[in-house]
C-alpha cells in the first residue's frame, strides 16, 4: 500500500484566496443588496468565511469595501479588454454595443452603488476617485482605439468623451428599468453620427 502524501497549501496562498473570496462576495452583495444593505456579516456568510477570519483580513466595512473597490476596478478593466478583443475592426456599432454592455453589467451596478455612497462619504470618495480616474483613462483609450479615431483631430476628444458620457447615462437609466429597446435605437443613430463625423474628419 502506497503512503498517502498530504500537500499543504502555503499560508500565503490560503490568505490570498480568502481575501479574494471576501472581495468577490462584497461585489456580489453590492449588486444584490446595495451599499446600505451590504454588511461585513453578510459578506462573510456569502464568502463562507468565519466572522473572525473576515475581521482578520478586513477589520471594518470600510477596509473591506476599499479592497473591493480595487478588485472591482480590475474586474471592469478585464471585462472591457475581453469584450474588446472579440470585436471586428471597423464595426463602430459593435463598439458602441460593447460599451453599452459594460455600462449595464452587474459589475457596473456594483460600481454605481459605490459612486452613490461616495457622494456623501468623504473617506469612501477618496478611495473610489483614484480607481475611477484610472478606469476612465483605460476606457477612453480603448474606445479611441476600437473606433479608429485620430484623437489629435479637432473635436475628436470631445466626440469620444460625449460618446462615453452618453453611454454611461444609458447605463444609469437601465439601473431602474430594462431600457434595452430604447438604448438600441439611440446607439443605432449615434453610430450613424459617428460615421458622418469621422468621414468629415478624414476629408
Amino acid at each position: 500500500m502506497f503512503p498517502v502524501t498530504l500537500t499543504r497549501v502555503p499560508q500565503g496562498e490560503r490568505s490570498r484566496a480568502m481575501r479574494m473570496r471576501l472581495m468577490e462576495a462584497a461585489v456580489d452583495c453590492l449588486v444584490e443588496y446595495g451599499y446600505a444593505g451590504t454588511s461585513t456579516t453578510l459578506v462573510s456568510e456569502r464568502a463562507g468565511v468565519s466572522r473572525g477570519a473576515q475581521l482578520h483580513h478586513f477589520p471594518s466595512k470600510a477596509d473591506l469595501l476599499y479592497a473591493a473597490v480595487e478588485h472591482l476596478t480590475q474586474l471592469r478593466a478585464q471585462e472591457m479588454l475581453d469584450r474588446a478583443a472579440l470585436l471586428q475592426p471597423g464595426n463602430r456599432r459593435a463598439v458602441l454595443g460593447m460599451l453599452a454592455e459594460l455600462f449595464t453589467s452587474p459589475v457596473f451596478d456594483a460600481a454605481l452603488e459605490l459612486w452613490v455612497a461616495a457622494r456623501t462619504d468623504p473617506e469612501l470618495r477618496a478611495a473610489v476617485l483614484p480607481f475611477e480616474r484610472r478606469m476612465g483613462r483605460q476606457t477612453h483609450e480603448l474606445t479611441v482605439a476600437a473606433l479608429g479615431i485620430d484623437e489629435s483631430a479637432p473635436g475628436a476628444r470631445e466626440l469620444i468623451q460625449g460618446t462615453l458620457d452618453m453611454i454611461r447615462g444609458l447605463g444609469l437609466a437601465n439601473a431602474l428599468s430594462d431600457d434595452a429597446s430604447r438604448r438600441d435605437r439611440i446607439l443605432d443613430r449615434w453610430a450613424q453620427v459617428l460615421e458622418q463625423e469621422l468621414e468629415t474628419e478624414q476629408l
Side-chain angles (χ1 to χ4, degrees), residues 33-194:
Y33 303 107
Y35 180 83
T38 296
S39 66
T40 52
T41 300
L42 188 62
V43 171
S44 61
E45 290 174 355
R46 174 66 65 91
V49 172
S50 71
R51 176 76 170 144
Q54 182 256 304
L55 289 172
H56 171 73
H57 290 286
F58 302 107
S60 69
K61 179 178 179 178
D63 293 325
L64 176 57
L65 290 182
Y66 295 162
V69 167
E70 182 170 11
H71 179 58
L72 188 56
T73 302
Q74 294 170 348
L75 284 178
R76 290 166 66 199
Q78 190 58 54
E79 184 178 21
M80 181 174 62
L81 291 172
D82 290 345
R83 290 177 184 268
L86 300 175
L87 295 175
Q88 292 184 347
N91 190 337
R92 289 175 176 136
R93 175 61 180 83
V95 175
L96 296 179
M98 178 273 291
L99 291 170
E101 288 178 6
L102 288 173
F103 285 112
T104 55
S105 70
V107 173
F108 176 76
D109 290 340
L112 181 58
E113 289 293 331
L114 290 172
W115 294 350
V116 173
R119 187 182 71 85
T120 55
D121 185 330
E123 290 186 8
L124 182 60
R125 184 165 63 251
V128 168
L129 274 176
F131 294 115
E132 281 304 317
R133 286 171 179 155
R134 188 175 78 195
M135 186 68 197
R137 286 193 299 270
Q138 289 177 320
T139 305
H140 184 97
E141 291 168 2
L142 183 141
T143 304
V144 169
L147 289 174
I149 292 179
D150 178 5
E151 199 174 11
S152 66
R157 183 173 182 81
E158 290 74 18
L159 188 62
I160 291 293
Q161 290 176 330
T163 297
L164 291 173
D165 286 346
M166 178 193 70
I167 295 178
R168 187 178 293 107
L170 292 173
L172 292 173
N174 192 73
L176 295 178
S177 63
D178 183 359
D179 203 38
S181 179
R182 185 177 74 95
R183 183 168 63 250
D184 283 343
R185 293 196 302 273
I186 292 172
L187 294 179
D188 287 342
R189 182 69 185 101
W190 191 248
Q192 295 172 1
V193 171
L194 283 178

